[in-house]
Amino acid sequence: MPFNLLIKHTSYWGNTFVFSYKKKKYFGKKLAKNYYKKEVNGYLTLKKYYPVPKLIYKDSVDNILIFEYVSNVDKGGLLVDLFANKNYIDKGFLSIINLYKKVFIKTLKRNTGLSSNVFFKDRIESRLNKFYGKKFFELFKGKKVMLNGKEIILNPKKIIEDVRIFFIKKPKSKWCVISQCDPNDLNIASGPVIFDYLAGGYNPLMAEYATLFWYNLCQGNYLSLKYNKESFTGHEKIFKRKDRVIVKKNEIHHYIADIRMEFLKKYTEDVIDPCFDKILQYPEWYDDFKNHMAMKILAVFNVAKMEYKDTLLSLAYLEYFYNYINPSNPGDLISQTLKLCKR
């Protein structure tokens, strides 16, 4: 049976599907028309540098891609499974970290990094401007909260205004690397293997770092498990590791999984620090980092629609990283984060 006929009889889960044909298993994606070409181009770029599954079928009419299925996914091989099952950074984690180090050092150069726009600049209009308005700003302006014992005064309107300016202004060249710019638990498997290629290409190093940083600080072990829980079907053990967040009046306590902070520290030391050693001069790095991180906090989920305690948690982290610290280097950023999180 031709693939296009087989696909029509396959059940979709979100925009993805899995099926078998002649005793072989396949993974497919049906994309929006404006994303299809980006995904294909991203894949073709990333396959030159990263281990990726073989693309075996393309349909530019129905915007469908079919890849060979990576059996490792069914054997606890996704990064999410490592976090669910491990208590320390083992060789599975290290294989992933070493891959990123190798590719980043090899591809590091000045570039406009426009591949990342799909997750950042493009979401100013499609998400940021639609999610947050006058009532939201009035509710939280000047509100005092205590995040893990640190007093923080919220002003999300000012941050959002600054973030808009950062991304809307004419792009300048930044330090960039070849990446997917979406290094989350469901897009990486031990081996390693990389999935999802929508932003594949040259992306700002700080866009990549900010994405991974926020995912491991709060999104992957907490927010995604609440607001995108269906994506973890087949990987439910991660819910047993879900972070605890306790809010009493204006006091927020976020109890983060130790392994997440260990992974973030190891990634910083083994991937980001060597890039900085090669760059030597990068005075604007934290401005790049905090604006990309702000977009990950504000434009993955609608913070205004979250449970109130999660809105407070997200806004407190947003304010803290945007206005309360100015680290001298990534190692200093990790140290201050560990201090805030009492690690």
Side-chain angles (χ1 to χ4, degrees):
M1 181 184 294
F3 277 127
N4 60 339
L5 295 178
L6 190 64
I7 291 166
K8 290 180 180 179
H9 296 86
T10 300
S11 298
Y12 282 81
W13 175 73
N15 71 331
T16 65
F17 54 94
V18 175
F19 66 95
S20 295
Y21 179 60
K22 293 186 177 179
K23 298 182 179 181
K24 287 194 69 174
K25 204 171 182 181
Y26 298 92
F27 173 80
K29 298 182 73 172
K30 182 175 177 61
L31 298 130
K33 189 174 183 63
N34 59 323
Y35 286 160
Y36 174 83
K37 188 174 181 180
K38 289 180 183 292
E39 186 89 13
V40 171
N41 290 340
Y43 173 83
L44 294 176
T45 298
L46 291 175
K47 70 178 291 191
K48 300 174 185 177
Y49 301 93
Y50 294 88
V52 295
K54 185 178 180 180
L55 175 62
I56 61 168
Y57 179 85
K58 295 187 294 182
D59 180 349
S60 59
V61 176
D62 291 325
N63 308 308
I64 288 173
L65 302 174
I66 295 178
F67 302 87
E68 287 188 344
Y69 194 83
V70 177
S71 60
N72 196 21
V73 170
D74 294 333
K75 301 175 182 178
L78 276 183
L79 185 54
V80 65
D81 301 315
L82 298 185
F83 279 118
N85 294 309
K86 304 293 183 178
N87 293 312
Y88 61 93
I89 303 302
D90 69 357
K91 63 181 181 180
F93 289 103
L94 293 177
S95 70
I96 293 166
I97 289 172
N98 290 335
L99 171 65
Y100 279 106
K101 177 182 179 179
K102 178 183 177 181
V103 176
F104 284 13
I105 291 296
K106 182 176 182 178
T107 62
L108 182 67
K109 73 172 187 178
R110 300 288 295 194
N111 189 281
T112 53
L114 298 181
S115 294
S116 68
N117 281 354
V118 67
F119 294 139
F120 297 98
K121 184 177 180 179
D122 294 354
R123 289 182 173 180
I124 295 291
E125 183 61 36
S126 65
R127 298 192 183 190
L128 202 69
N129 292 346
K130 293 180 179 180
F131 287 175
Y132 310 108
K134 185 177 179 180
K135 289 184 179 180
F136 176 80
F137 296 138
E138 289 177 348
L139 180 62
F140 292 102
K141 183 179 180 179
K143 186 175 183 62
K144 293 182 180 180
V145 297
M146 299 288 290
L147 175 60
N148 292 339
K150 171 72 176 179
E151 183 179 270
I152 295 172
I153 301 175
L154 305 179
N155 188 1
K157 181 180 180 180
K158 179 63 169 61
I159 293 176
I160 289 174
E161 288 172 348
D162 290 346
V163 169
R164 282 198 193 100
I165 292 170
F166 178 87
F167 285 104
I168 292 174
K169 64 188 178 184
K170 185 177 179 180
K172 297 180 180 179
S173 67
K174 302 178 183 297
W175 285 106
C176 293
V177 294
I178 295 287
S179 75
Q180 66 179 157
C181 210
D182 194 15
N184 71 56
D185 286 2
L186 300 173
N187 287 343
I188 305 169
S190 59
V193 183
I194 305 299
F195 308 102
D196 280 2
Y197 318 108
L198 188 61
Y202 264 106
N203 292 299
L205 178 63
M206 288 301 103
E208 183 80 18
Y209 186 38
T211 300
L212 182 132
F213 195 104
W214 177 242
Y215 195 89
N216 283 280
L217 179 68
C218 192
Q219 185 182 334
N221 240 55
Y222 183 65
L223 294 175
S224 287
L225 299 184
K226 288 187 69 171
Y227 300 103
N228 191 29
K229 61 183 179 181
E230 64 277 5
S231 293
F232 297 89
T233 301
H235 308 278
E236 287 84 0
K237 285 186 70 175
I238 191 63
F239 290 96
K240 295 180 180 180
R241 295 285 182 94
K242 183 179 175 182
D243 290 350
R244 287 189 301 130
V245 175
I246 299 173
V247 175
K248 294 182 180 179
K249 294 184 178 179
N250 69 331
E251 293 189 13
I252 307 165
H253 296 279
H254 179 199
Y255 298 92
I256 301 172
D258 289 334
I259 195 168
R260 288 286 179 177
M261 298 309 296
E262 291 173 15
F263 178 77
L264 191 52
K265 185 173 184 291
K266 185 67 173 172
Y267 178 93
T268 301
E269 293 172 347
D270 288 8
V271 180
I272 301 301
D273 285 349
C275 289
F276 270 60
D277 291 341
K278 187 175 180 180
I279 291 170
L280 297 179
Q281 296 293 323
Y282 190 0
E284 73 278 17
W285 77 273
Y286 193 66
D287 192 48
D288 288 345
F289 175 89
K290 73 178 187 180
N291 279 284
H292 284 96
M293 185 169 177
M295 280 298 292
K296 299 312 294 187
I297 296 173
L298 293 164
V300 172
F301 302 114
N302 185 344
V303 172
K305 296 292 186 179
M306 290 178 176
E307 185 179 344
Y308 184 71
K309 73 172 185 177
D310 301 330
T311 299
L312 281 186
L313 176 70
S314 298
L315 293 181
Y317 274 129
L318 174 69
E319 194 75 46
Y320 176 79
F321 286 103
Y322 206 88
N323 288 319
Y324 277 74
I325 60 172
N326 186 25
S328 56
N329 54 58
D332 186 26
L333 172 61
I334 290 294
S335 294
Q336 294 193 51
T337 304
L338 289 171
K339 183 178 180 180
L340 175 70
C341 299
K342 298 179 175 62
R343 292 289 189 268

